[in-house]
Amino acid sequence: MLSNLFFTINAVMPIVLVIAVGYFLKTIHLFDEKFFPLLNKLCFRCCLPCLLFFNVYNVENLAEIAQYWKICVFAVISILIFFVFAVIIIKFTVSDDRQKGVMIQSSYRSNYAIIGISLAMSISSGDARPVVAASILSSVSIPLFNVLAIIALSLFVSEDGKKVSLISILKKIATNPLILGVLTGIFCLIIRFLIPQNSDGQKLFTIKQNLPFIYKTISMLATSASPIALIALGGNFTFSAVARLKYKIIAGTLARTVICPLVCLSIAYKTGFTSLEFPALIALYGTPLAVSTVPMTAEMGSDSELAGQLVVWTTLTSAFTLFIIIFICKQAGIL
């Protein structure tokens, strides 16, 4: 039991502490007030796309995706259902149009890109198969998260006094840096799969083997995505906003850390998923709101302050809810 507690603390506390570093840098006025929004922009337009490309490109074998089609289909259906229900509920319960897209995201969008795979790796106790499942699930869930995020942020926010059109939404999806990062990774993954092998079974050409300087550059930018996003989040965080946004913070935190994992993991258990899939499913549904929500929200003209509050509070809350989830799953024999 204590090992599970320490595990969840070790998984979540580094995120909290890096956010605290960003907040501390703001309080000592090391940078001016324009720095942290610019850091958000750097993360959204450069580092996060590299991270998503890197995660997708490093799926070892395209054929393995077919072996995990059930968990991928389950994830897609569950995410879509939560998204649709959230749109309906938020439409009638949240008055501020700039906050609706943020609240919708808190219901379905987790921090899978940054901590999901590492969390699944820790839960799986050294077995490589759950990690493979988690990696493959990322190539499906992350694009879906981002497409739905663009739709959520576009549904209620007007452009020049007019509601956003379908063409405008499609254009935002097609030009979104995060979507482009994922699609570029999928494209390179398919090309790599089609390249013939030599007599030793190695691909005749890969970016990692033949262009290591490009691979290393992308890897460095991908590695920097998480700390940059978290520092920017801490720098933009204000405690004074908590009282004003408290009801939305409570609702969004409950949706992300309690309702979504409770419903989805219960159905997954009844569906018959085993210890091979559950580490990935816990990471998909149990982790806090994605850090990339904040820069994306800011870029698209919605309430980035609320998004930042929800990222912070869902991260803090998940330190406890993940412990409970992991403990229950271990007691049930599915971990």
Side-chain angles (χ1 to χ4, degrees), residues 4 26 50 77 79 106 186 239 258 284 291 303:
N4 292 339
K26 180 182 74 170
C50 288
I77 292 174
I79 291 168
S106 69
I186 292 172
F239 279 102
V258 178
L284 181 67
V291 175
D303 193 338

Side-chain angles (χ1 to χ4, degrees), residues 1-322:
M1 184 172 177
L2 279 176
S3 62
N4 292 339
L5 177 60
F6 286 130
F7 161 71
T8 53
I9 290 173
N10 288 331
V12 175
M13 280 308 295
I15 297 175
V16 176
L17 292 176
V18 177
I19 293 172
V21 168
Y23 185 79
F24 174 73
L25 293 176
K26 180 182 74 170
T27 57
I28 64 173
H29 304 291
L30 186 63
F31 306 104
D32 64 32
E33 60 183 17
K34 296 180 180 178
F35 173 76
F36 292 105
L38 289 175
L39 203 61
N40 254 339
K41 191 180 289 288
L42 169 66
C43 186
F44 180 70
R45 296 190 177 276
C46 179
C47 301
L48 280 171
C50 288
L51 173 65
L52 298 179
F53 170 87
F54 196 71
N55 285 345
V56 174
Y57 180 78
N58 280 305
V59 173
E60 289 296 329
N61 190 342
L62 199 61
E64 288 180 337
I65 295 178
Q67 300 175 20
Y68 293 93
W69 67 270
K70 287 184 180 179
I71 189 174
C72 291
V73 171
F74 180 84
V76 169
I77 292 174
S78 61
I79 291 168
L80 288 174
I81 289 174
F82 258 85
F83 174 80
V84 171
F85 271 100
V87 170
I88 295 170
I89 294 170
I90 298 301
K91 178 179 174 63
F92 297 104
T93 57
V94 177
S95 57
D96 189 338
D97 286 344
R98 293 179 65 252
Q99 295 179 341
K100 289 179 179 178
V102 180
M103 294 298 293
I104 290 169
Q105 287 185 81
S106 69
S107 70
Y108 75 88
R109 190 180 188 187
S110 67
N111 201 0
Y112 195 75
I114 293 178
I115 65 173
I117 295 176
S118 59
L119 183 64
M121 188 182 300
S122 299
I123 299 173
S124 59
S125 303
D127 190 343
R129 291 173 296 175
V131 179
V132 172
S135 299
I136 291 171
L137 190 58
S138 71
S139 66
V140 176
S141 61
I142 292 172
L144 182 60
F145 279 156
N146 285 283
V147 169
L148 294 179
I150 295 169
I151 295 172
L153 293 170
S154 302
L155 280 176
F156 304 104
V157 178
S158 60
E159 291 179 344
D160 300 325
K162 299 178 181 178
K163 287 296 182 182
V164 179
S165 66
L166 177 60
I167 294 176
S168 178
I169 292 175
L170 293 175
K171 183 179 178 181
K172 288 178 181 178
I173 292 172
T175 58
N176 181 271
L178 306 185
I179 299 294
L180 292 175
V182 172
L183 292 179
T184 305
I186 292 172
F187 175 77
C188 291
L189 189 63
I190 293 171
I191 295 298
R192 191 182 72 196
F193 179 74
L194 296 175
I195 293 173
Q197 298 177 341
N198 59 25
S199 57
D200 297 327
Q202 299 292 321
K203 293 291 183 180
L204 294 176
F205 179 87
T206 66
I207 296 175
K208 186 175 183 178
Q209 292 176 356
N210 301 93
L211 297 173
F213 64 95
I214 292 179
Y215 183 85
K216 183 64 175 178
T217 301
I218 296 172
S219 174
M220 291 172 67
L221 289 170
T223 304
S224 71
S226 177
I228 287 176
L230 294 171
I231 288 172
L233 173 59
N236 289 307
F237 185 80
T238 53
F239 279 102
S240 60
V242 174
R244 177 169 52 85
L245 298 170
K246 63 181 178 181
Y247 294 115
K248 294 181 177 68
I249 292 171
I250 292 170
T253 300
L254 284 174
R256 174 86 299 276
T257 61
V258 178
I259 298 173
C260 181
L262 178 63
V263 172
C264 293
L265 292 175
S266 297
I267 296 174
Y269 178 69
K270 293 293 184 180
T271 305
F273 287 109
T274 66
S275 59
L276 295 180
E277 298 96 0
F278 249 84
L281 292 172
I282 290 173
L284 181 67
Y285 300 119
T287 49
L289 181 63
V291 175
S292 57
T293 302
V294 181
M296 178 182 283
T297 301
E299 285 283 314
M300 296 186 65
S302 288
D303 193 338
S304 59
E305 185 176 48
L306 175 60
Q309 292 286 340
L310 285 171
V311 169
V312 170
W313 292 108
T314 56
T315 300
L316 290 170
T317 306
S318 67
F320 302 98
T321 55
L322 277 172

